[in-house]
């Protein structure tokens, strides 16, 4: 997932009510569906965090003095962009509802 994917995502930025029956339809179990979506949200969050840190590192300025604090406008703009993005759980739920998350129940595979 890159910045353009995040910017063009149709995931909601604010809270949205979702039909429970639609959400758990792929698994037939609401708890399993929530667990799958939450694991995907953790993955998305780590990808976003990694990308953000890489972008902030590009604009980093290092100083030997602890007293000096630099306001880097580029870093502020990058941070503001990421703050306005949909949250990882909203992205994961949107992927889940659009059937873009591969999942399988390994317990059922053993039977």
């Amino acid at each position: 997932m890159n910045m353009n994917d995040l910017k063009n995502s149709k995931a909601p930025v604010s809270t949205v009510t979702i039909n429970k029956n639609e959400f758990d339809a792929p698994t037939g179990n609401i708890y399993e569906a929530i667990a799958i979506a939450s694991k995907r949200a953790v993955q998305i969050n780590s990808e976003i965090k990694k990308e953000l840190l890489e972008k902030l590192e590009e604009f980093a300025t290092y100083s030997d003095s602890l007293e000096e604090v630099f306001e880097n406008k580029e870093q502020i703009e990058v941070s503001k962009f990421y703050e306005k993005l949909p949250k990882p759980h909203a992205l994961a739920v949107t992927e889940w509802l659009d059937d873009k998350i591969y999942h399988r129940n390994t317990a059922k595979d053993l039977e």
Side-chain angles (χ1 to χ4, degrees):
M1 182 166 281
N2 62 34
M3 196 169 359
N4 287 332
D5 292 342
L6 294 172
K7 201 182 328 184
N8 297 327
S9 173
K10 60 182 181 175
V13 179
S14 62
T15 305
V16 176
T17 303
I18 298 170
N19 183 344
K20 175 211 162 293
N21 295 330
E22 183 182 340
F23 191 79
D24 69 5
T27 61
N29 183 331
I30 189 68
Y31 301 107
E32 186 176 354
I34 290 171
I36 293 167
S38 67
K39 286 180 183 181
R40 179 62 182 137
V42 169
Q43 291 173 343
I44 292 170
N45 189 47
S46 65
E47 292 171 13
I48 291 172
K49 183 178 178 181
K50 179 182 174 195
E51 187 174 308
L52 173 62
L53 292 175
E54 288 173 0
K55 295 217 177 286
L56 291 177
E57 188 68 29
E58 291 175 14
F59 302 112
T61 55
Y62 299 101
S63 174
D64 293 337
S65 172
L66 293 175
E67 296 169 7
E68 293 183 57
V69 176
F70 293 102
E71 260 189 34
N72 191 324
K73 293 193 185 304
E74 291 87 3
Q75 286 180 323
I76 293 170
E77 290 301 316
V78 169
S79 295
K80 283 182 180 180
F81 171 81
Y82 278 90
E83 286 176 4
K84 293 177 185 174
L85 291 176
K87 303 299 179 222
H89 68 272
L91 293 165
V93 167
T94 301
E95 286 183 6
W96 176 253
L97 293 174
D98 291 344
D99 201 28
K100 293 181 180 176
I101 299 177
Y102 170 77
H103 65 93
R104 65 186 176 112
N105 189 333
T106 55
K108 289 180 183 175
D109 292 346
L110 297 175
E111 293 175 355

